[in-house]
Amino acid sequence: MPKRQDIIRWCNEFLRTAEFHDYAPNGLQVEGREEVRKIVCAVTASQAAIDYAVVQNADMLLVHHGLFWKSEPITITGWKHRRIATLIRHNINMAGYHLPLDAHPELGNNAQLAVRMGWHIEGQAGEQNLLMFGTPEAEADGNALLANLAERLGRQPVSAGDLSRPVRKLAWCTGGAQGFFQQAIDMGADAFVTGEISEAQYHLAQENGVLFVSAGHHATERYGIQALSARLQQEWPLECLFFDEDNPA
């Protein structure tokens, strides 16, 4: 029977967590039972995901967005208390992997989005290799890129910039990575895909002619955690389930 510490140790080593400077802890965040037979994976350690893990009698909740963030108050009150209390009451482990899961060249959110979209990966760049670049499945314009994203992610993207521009070079970073847009422009990308858009990106897109696409923070980050849990099933006799939420953000 796999042990909690063995699974966490394997994830930490495989994702090379020690190499990242993150604003959230990576690895075990809430300790539960020692033996792990069933894992529920989810994008975020929300109350809904925790409740699902309880119903499924899971031994571990494995997520991309954990419970503790540098910018948040450290007090365990309100919603944070309710989430943690539920985990402890039911003796469920909760582990989270943030930037290491974004950047991993095989199982990461960026790499898995490319698999989902049929994009060809040429390399990684930017801070902690969080920006990925390559070419689309087939040369097309921005309208076709948006249509493909909407079809495969099940969410209509928001865009800014020239939709008629041919997309030959593509850059992307899942989640809230709109700050990488200028670097994507400097790299010569025809389009940049991420999860969120802020006010400033509209002007950069309009003035530089590079297409900016916001395809949803949650929608673009559903696949790394599933790939990680699938790899865990290759290592140990585990049952892994994915909990999804209809999160429009």
Side-chain angles (χ1 to χ4, degrees), residues 108-167:
N109 284 317
N110 288 332
Q112 288 298 310
L113 179 62
V115 170
R116 184 80 174 186
M117 295 302 304
W119 298 339
H120 307 288
I121 301 171
E122 294 181 350
Q124 292 173 262
E127 178 188 352
Q128 303 186 83
N129 279 331
L130 290 169
L131 183 63
M132 194 163 271
F133 60 91
T135 57
E137 188 173 29
E139 185 177 321
D141 63 8
N143 287 299
L145 176 63
L146 261 64
N148 287 336
L149 283 162
E151 178 184 359
R152 299 184 191 189
L153 301 187
R155 183 186 188 278
Q156 186 61 46
V158 174
S159 69
D162 185 3
L163 287 169
S164 66
R165 176 173 177 156
V167 179

Side-chain angles (χ1 to χ4, degrees), residues 39-227:
I39 293 176
V40 166
C41 66
V43 175
T44 299
S46 64
Q47 188 67 52
I50 294 169
D51 290 343
Y52 180 80
V54 171
V55 170
Q56 295 297 324
N57 195 27
D59 305 299
M60 179 178 287
L61 176 63
L62 182 65
V63 301
H64 177 50
H65 301 138
L67 288 169
F68 304 100
W69 300 92
K70 184 178 180 180
S71 60
E72 290 179 353
I74 62 173
T75 53
I76 301 175
T77 58
W79 62 267
K80 186 173 290 187
H81 172 267
R82 289 190 292 273
R83 294 186 194 181
I84 294 173
T86 305
L87 289 165
I88 293 175
R89 188 181 309 121
H90 295 276
N91 208 18
I92 299 173
N93 298 284
M94 199 288 289
Y97 291 95
H98 187 229
L99 296 185
L101 188 59
D102 286 320
H104 194 274
E106 178 189 356
L107 302 186
N109 284 317
N110 288 332
Q112 288 298 310
L113 179 62
V115 170
R116 184 80 174 186
M117 295 302 304
W119 298 339
H120 307 288
I121 301 171
E122 294 181 350
Q124 292 173 262
E127 178 188 352
Q128 303 186 83
N129 279 331
L130 290 169
L131 183 63
M132 194 163 271
F133 60 91
T135 57
E137 188 173 29
E139 185 177 321
D141 63 8
N143 287 299
L145 176 63
L146 261 64
N148 287 336
L149 283 162
E151 178 184 359
R152 299 184 191 189
L153 301 187
R155 183 186 188 278
Q156 186 61 46
V158 174
S159 69
D162 185 3
L163 287 169
S164 66
R165 176 173 177 156
V167 179
R168 300 184 180 93
K169 184 171 184 178
L170 184 64
W172 65 94
C173 183
T174 65
Q178 56 268 57
F180 281 129
F181 188 32
Q182 183 62 60
Q183 185 167 353
I185 294 171
D186 295 340
M187 291 171 57
D190 299 302
F192 173 67
V193 178
T194 186
E196 298 183 11
I197 185 170
S198 298
E199 192 271 347
Q201 281 78 58
Y202 169 80
H203 302 289
L204 286 176
Q206 294 296 107
E207 294 169 25
N208 288 277
V210 177
L211 180 64
F212 181 97
V213 180
S214 167
H217 194 136
H218 179 89
T220 58
E221 296 199 323
R222 287 185 296 215
Y223 309 109
I225 200 70
Q226 294 182 70

